[in-house]
Amino acid sequence: MAEEATSKNRALAHGGLATLGRLAVSIFVPLVTFVVLWGGFIFLKESKAPPALIAIIAIVWGVGGVALLFWVADWTVNRFPPAIAKRLQPFVFVGPALIILAWYLFLPTLRSLYLSFFDAQSRNFVGLANFVYAFTDPKMLESFVNNLLWIILGTGGSVGMGLLIALLADRSRAEKAFKSIIFTPMAISFVGAGVIWRFVYAYKPVGESQIGLLNALLTLFGAEPQAWITLRPWNNIFLIAILVWLQTGYAMVIISAALKGVPSSIIEAGRIDGAGELRVIGSIIIPYIFTTLVTVSTTIIIISLKIFDIVYTMTGGQYGTEVIASMQYKQMFNYYDFGKGSAIAIVLVLAVTPVMWYNLRQFSKQEGF
Amino acid sequence: MSIKTEQRWLRLVNASLIVLVLLWAIPIIGLFISSLRAKSDVLNSGWWTILYTKSRLTFANYKQVLGGSKYTFVDSAGRTVRASGDNLSRAFINSLTVTIPSVIIPLLIASAAAFGFAWLIFPGRKAFFTAVVAMLVVPLQIALIPILRDYQKIGLTGSYLGIWLAHTGFGLPLGIYLLYNYVSTIPRDIFESAFLDGAKPLVVFARLVLPLSVPAIASLAIFQFLWVWNDLLVALVFLGGTSDVAVLTQRLATMVGSRGQDWHLLTAGAFIVMVIPLIVFFALQRYFVQGLMAGSVKG
């Protein structure tokens, strides 16, 4: 009897020790992981090794670090009693994403809203002054008008050209080859495209030989060369042309796929009823692919709304080409005015809320959630 | 339609397509040819003149933009000239260092999250995923000031870790959304048998979900790669302008400012920035198009 009790006690004590040990280990392992990763970060920051070596170490450290964190998190969760471990398990998978999204997108929206009510150094409350600035300052108004131009012409141009090329290519035997050339600029950065088109628009005074294609063509026909990039207000259109050149390929690919989905039977029926090609396109094909056109337009509207790189590279916002995103950048880095910068960012978010609302509505209709 | 009018129609279609395609291709061709011409040629005559006059092509422009500060070369008159290079080779390495983890890290995190949302049950699942959908279109401008302040506090400005995390944050909504759509279509039986065999979720994820999602992961990888490699704004804000860390797009934008009329260098620089994305793009175009079809709206 007594013997039994002591052995029970011993077992209990042993169990307690084991739990304690397990707890210690499950704190120790993540701690070691953290220290190792932090050490790597400090090393990368201070190290004077050749850049290529640093690059390789950085890549291994960064990617390996994330994989390791997942593994350690899973390992730690499995130290817990099964019932708790099962509840924690899903957060091993979605937790990192949720933390990063909260830090990088969700909280910043609230924090920017908060900052937009304060002055440049975020010290004194200024009420709506930054928003008054955002909606009345001449430069800001200029950027609104320009951005509207970007949205209308950029989206209209890309979708229109995309539709035209998709329709034409659909009727050609060399469809693939044509399409892949139009599609190529999608791989090119806004900055690279900026350089490509600056070169097309390059200007030299009258009398010198023009090295920019556009001015060379003009002078060929006896007209005077123009400094396109500084030519108000048309310069905006020359910048928007770059976006159209870049985004037409995207519109074309999506629209082209939708065209393949139009049943040939209704097209044939239209033709038999005597409709010409344009009539078939206007009354049958376009209504059929209308939702696709809306989706593509929405995507390009959002891209045009946030346009920054092209303006930054081509004009830096001078010569009347300022847009909302370039104004925001200037407030942040040229004037160090975090209040105005935040207010402009909030304006951008407000501008996309209709799309966000639409997306959420579509999503709530979706089955399975 | 008679056969004759149909033929005429087809000819018109092809002719207009050829015009459009030329319109799209000529700016790139002009850039490439100019990058191979000597400085004096580029600055004094249009690139199209090589079609009807004899002129020599050279790699000197590439040597100069890739070279460091002590770059020397022999000019057309045979003199040795010292000029400052643009050190794009360093920027090239920086771009790779920024891009590779900025593609892999969000892919890992997004695919884990997509698996969690699709196949694990936990409180708040629907609310969290709704938030992900809402964040699909949030402009990243909203994050610049708050995150920059955080980075200044904890010393992440100008560090690779800082920009990897930023690109991860901005790439996650689309990544989770696209991968969720894909992962949730994997047949239920596959998981059930694995779970019945006592496999742990991490094992199921690594052994089953990741291999099965390769097509979706590939198309997302191309998106993210093009986005990060071609990005200028995030790099300007979080990486800073020092040439130690500056990426290609930043260096090219700086060159436009400082060497605005040196077209022989700008064209070579632009081509260096473009070459990797173009290769990736052509090699993996199929996946890219699949990803586009899956619906793409990025914030």
Side-chain angles (χ1 to χ4, degrees):
Chain A
M1 197 71 161
E3 221 169 72
E4 213 170 272
T6 39
S7 81
K8 210 176 194 177
N9 270 345
R10 212 178 287 152
L12 265 179
H14 188 74
L17 258 181
T19 317
L20 213 70
R22 230 189 287 159
L23 200 72
V25 170
S26 56
I27 293 169
F28 185 68
V29 169
L31 208 69
V32 167
T33 319
F34 184 76
V35 167
V36 166
L37 289 178
W38 190 252
F41 175 63
I42 299 296
F43 168 78
L44 284 172
K45 232 172 124 178
E46 313 294 333
S47 169
K48 294 274 173 281
L53 183 68
I54 293 266
I56 293 169
I57 295 174
I59 290 167
V60 172
W61 172 79
V63 174
V66 172
L68 187 69
L69 281 178
F70 267 113
W71 186 81
V72 168
D74 187 67
W75 183 89
T76 311
V77 163
N78 282 322
R79 298 305 100 192
F80 285 95
I84 300 175
K86 214 180 162 206
R87 293 189 141 205
L88 288 176
Q89 190 85 61
F91 291 99
V92 171
F93 292 95
V94 296
L98 292 179
I99 291 168
I100 290 177
L101 279 177
W103 184 19
Y104 280 90
L105 285 170
F106 181 69
L107 291 176
T109 312
L110 303 179
R111 293 169 65 190
S112 289
L113 186 65
Y114 177 80
L115 290 175
S116 68
F117 296 114
F118 286 82
D119 64 0
Q121 289 87 35
S122 316
R123 288 212 193 95
N124 305 307
F125 182 77
V126 294
L128 289 173
N130 292 322
F131 288 96
V132 171
Y133 158 84
F135 288 108
T136 58
D137 181 79
K139 273 275 170 200
M140 281 304 296
L141 294 180
E142 173 196 311
S143 74
F144 281 129
V145 172
N146 288 341
N147 242 133
L148 199 65
L149 211 62
W150 275 90
I151 289 173
I152 295 169
L153 296 181
T155 310
S158 309
V159 178
M161 289 304 276
L163 177 64
L164 175 71
I165 294 168
L167 283 168
L168 287 172
D170 203 34
R171 286 154 177 75
S172 165
R173 263 190 228 130
E175 182 180 354
K176 277 226 168 102
F178 286 129
K179 271 164 56 177
S180 78
I181 291 173
I182 304 286
F183 199 45
T184 304
M186 283 226 69
I188 297 173
S189 60
F190 286 135
V191 184
V195 173
I196 291 175
W197 283 88
R198 259 180 89 98
F199 192 45
V200 173
Y201 297 148
Y203 164 77
K204 286 206 163 185
V206 189
E208 288 183 41
S209 80
Q210 296 294 332
I211 59 168
L213 187 61
L214 199 55
N215 276 324
L217 283 175
L218 266 193
T219 45
L220 188 70
F221 293 109
E224 273 201 10
Q226 300 288 337
W228 305 106
I229 294 172
T230 55
L231 189 73
R232 293 175 201 233
W234 309 107
N235 50 1
N236 278 301
I237 293 172
F238 295 116
L239 299 193
I240 295 169
I242 304 173
L243 182 79
V244 173
W245 182 73
L246 286 168
Q247 293 298 324
T248 293
Y250 162 70
M252 176 201 70
V253 166
I254 307 282
I255 293 170
S256 186
L259 287 180
K260 307 269 182 265
V262 182
S264 53
S265 57
I266 44 172
I267 294 178
E268 283 310 311
R271 285 197 181 127
I272 288 165
D273 287 346
E277 199 62 27
L278 288 179
R279 188 77 203 282
V280 168
I281 291 169
S283 316
I284 298 174
I285 296 181
I286 290 185
Y288 200 90
I289 61 168
F290 194 71
T291 39
T292 306
L293 293 180
V294 171
T295 315
V296 172
S297 303
T298 320
T299 308
I300 302 178
I301 285 173
I302 291 178
I303 294 171
S304 325
L305 183 72
K306 297 183 305 180
I307 199 76
F308 167 80
D309 303 15
I310 295 180
V311 174
Y312 181 87
T313 322
M314 298 289 283
T315 64
Q318 287 173 291
Y319 321 116
T321 57
E322 211 75 75
V323 287
I324 300 175
S326 68
M327 284 301 287
Q328 201 241 356
Y329 184 83
K330 275 192 181 160
Q331 286 298 345
M332 267 193 313
F333 285 102
N334 297 6
Y335 311 129
Y336 299 102
D337 191 327
F338 283 1
K340 289 192 178 119
S342 301
I344 301 174
I346 292 292
V347 171
L348 277 178
V349 172
L350 288 179
V352 298
T353 41
V355 181
M356 197 190 290
W357 180 78
Y358 176 81
N359 279 352
L360 286 175
R361 239 181 45 144
Q362 291 302 107
F363 169 69
S364 66
K365 278 187 205 156
Q366 219 172 308
E367 295 280 318
F369 239 99
Chain B
M1 250 190 287
S2 74
I3 292 175
K4 217 172 186 184
T5 49
E6 198 161 334
Q7 264 178 349
R8 205 180 295 158
W9 179 244
L10 212 78
R11 222 174 289 152
L12 187 72
V13 163
N14 278 324
S16 16
L17 273 175
I18 286 167
V19 171
L20 285 167
V21 159
L22 281 178
L23 203 65
W24 251 255
I26 282 175
I28 303 180
I29 296 168
L31 180 94
F32 184 58
I33 292 175
S34 299
S35 72
L36 293 171
R37 296 176 78 210
K39 179 180 179 182
S40 56
D41 291 348
V42 175
L43 299 184
N44 293 317
S45 61
W47 56 267
W48 50 89
T49 53
I50 69 150
L51 297 177
Y52 49 82
T53 53
K54 254 179 118 180
S55 61
R56 281 184 349 151
L57 298 180
T58 164
F59 279 109
N61 305 331
Y62 284 94
K63 276 190 195 142
Q64 187 174 349
V65 288
L66 286 170
S69 50
K70 284 173 197 150
Y71 162 79
T72 57
F73 70 101
V74 181
D75 74 359
S76 49
R79 289 166 301 189
T80 306
V81 181
R82 277 173 74 94
S84 63
D86 290 280
N87 210 353
L88 284 189
S89 48
R90 177 65 197 265
F92 196 91
I93 294 173
N94 292 342
S95 268
L96 281 176
T97 315
V98 165
T99 307
I100 294 173
S102 294
V103 172
I104 301 175
I105 294 172
L107 277 176
L108 268 176
I109 295 179
S111 47
F115 167 69
F117 278 120
W119 294 105
L120 302 173
I121 298 152
F122 56 96
R125 176 169 157 269
K126 181 162 186 177
F128 285 134
F129 199 79
T130 309
V132 170
V133 173
M135 282 187 266
L136 275 175
V137 291
V138 171
L140 63 86
Q141 271 89 355
I142 199 73
L144 300 180
I145 290 174
I147 301 297
L148 189 64
R149 286 161 69 110
D150 291 348
Y151 278 13
Q152 281 163 352
K153 258 179 227 149
I154 55 180
L156 275 180
T157 40
S159 75
Y160 289 127
L161 178 65
I163 194 161
W164 296 340
L165 284 174
H167 278 305
T168 302
F170 303 143
L172 270 182
L174 181 68
I176 297 173
Y177 183 73
L178 286 186
L179 286 175
Y180 169 82
N181 284 343
Y182 193 89
V183 171
S184 59
T185 59
I186 297 174
R188 179 152 227 122
D189 327 348
I190 296 182
F191 289 99
E192 267 162 10
S193 54
F195 280 125
L196 279 180
D197 290 345
K200 290 243 158 35
L202 192 68
V203 177
V204 174
F205 172 68
R207 295 271 165 82
L208 272 176
V209 177
L210 280 184
L212 283 173
S213 318
V214 164
I217 291 176
S219 59
L220 199 64
I222 303 165
F223 272 136
Q224 184 73 3
F225 172 82
L226 290 177
W227 163 255
V228 175
W229 186 275
N230 290 338
D231 157 79
L232 174 68
L233 182 57
V234 177
L236 278 177
V237 174
F238 295 125
L239 216 45
T242 58
S243 57
D244 279 5
V245 286
V247 293
L248 278 173
T249 47
Q250 278 175 294
R251 295 290 308 151
L252 187 62
T254 314
M255 280 174 69
V256 172
S258 62
R259 297 179 175 278
Q261 297 309 316
D262 291 348
W263 285 112
H264 60 299
L265 300 179
L266 280 176
T267 50
F271 198 75
I272 291 167
V273 177
M274 284 157 48
V275 68
I276 296 280
L278 282 176
I279 292 171
V280 169
F281 188 72
F282 280 116
L284 303 169
Q285 205 170 29
R286 193 165 57 92
Y287 291 108
F288 183 75
V289 172
Q290 279 170 5
L292 277 184
M293 297 301 172
S296 60
V297 197
K298 185 165 160 44

